[in-house]
């Protein structure tokens, strides 16, 4: 997959509008780690306060293709987002069903756990953030 065509588009849940776009090929924003299982993990570290954490904020993983934007995933936390602009316009996000709170620490994380595609579940990891590594209880398998 051509990374120059992939981007994360962040959505404000209050108004459904895009507030930031980050290209996966932007080495200033993303770093890459090897998951030791034939997959690469992409890690983005944003400055404090630059990722909204109000009710129902979301993000879309988007591929820019020859026929326009293709939404790979449109996820949200603390409720669903109905996009009014950007590549996910007129789509409703999938609420992952877990969230962080004002009491969450920098060592907490939201992520997938499970050992197969069918068993992946969104989980809140308390004191178990794992940037650059698989989440606790997660296994990646080849298709």
């Amino acid at each position: 997959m051509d990374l120059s065509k992939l981007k994360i588009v962040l959505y404000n849940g209050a108004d459904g509008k895009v507030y930031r776009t980050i290209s996966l090929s932007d080495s200033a924003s993303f770093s890459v780690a090897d998951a030791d299982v034939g997959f690469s993990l992409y890690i983005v570290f944003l400055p404090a306060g630059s990722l909204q954490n109000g009710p129902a904020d979301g993000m879309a993983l988007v591929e820019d293709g020859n026929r326009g934007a293709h939404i790979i995933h449109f996820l949200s936390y603390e409720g669903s987002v109905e996009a009014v602009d950007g590549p996910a316009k007129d789509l409703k996000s999938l609420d992952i069903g877990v969230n962080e709170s004002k009491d969450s620490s920098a060592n907490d994380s939201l992520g997938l756990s499970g050992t197969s595609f069918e068993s992946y579940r969104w989980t809140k990891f308390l004191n178990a953030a794992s940037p650059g590594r698989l989440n606790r209880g997660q296994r990646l398998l080849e298709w």
Side-chain angles (χ1 to χ4, degrees):
M1 188 170 280
D2 183 354
L3 290 183
S4 68
K5 295 182 180 200
L6 293 175
K7 60 188 173 188
I8 301 287
V9 180
L10 302 177
Y11 280 88
N12 182 331
D15 61 11
K17 293 182 179 180
V18 172
Y19 70 90
R20 185 169 185 178
T21 300
I22 310 163
S23 172
L24 265 69
S25 64
D26 179 356
S27 61
S29 296
F30 280 92
S31 61
V32 182
D34 184 356
D36 293 327
V37 290
F39 294 93
S40 296
L41 301 176
Y42 290 81
I43 306 103
V44 62
F45 291 98
L46 299 173
S50 63
L51 182 64
Q52 292 184 358
N53 191 23
D57 291 310
M59 60 189 72
L61 175 60
V62 179
E63 179 183 19
D64 286 327
N66 295 336
R67 295 184 213 141
H70 168 71
I71 308 301
I72 298 170
H73 289 292
F74 184 26
L75 304 172
S76 58
Y77 42 93
E78 299 182 37
S80 295
V81 175
E82 292 190 36
V84 299
D85 68 1
K89 182 179 179 182
D90 298 328
L91 296 178
K92 186 175 181 179
S93 65
L94 172 66
D95 182 358
I96 64 172
V98 294
N99 59 285
E100 292 191 353
S101 69
K102 61 181 171 77
D103 298 324
S104 295
S105 77
N107 292 322
D108 295 342
S109 178
L110 305 178
L112 289 172
S113 64
T115 58
S116 67
F117 187 76
E118 296 80 22
S119 72
Y120 288 148
R121 300 290 177 261
W122 285 97
T123 305
K124 180 175 182 177
F125 296 98
L126 296 173
N127 291 314
S130 58
R133 299 184 318 262
L134 293 179
N135 296 323
R136 183 178 56 219
Q138 184 179 30
R139 200 168 110 198
L140 300 178
L141 304 172
E142 291 190 37
W143 295 94

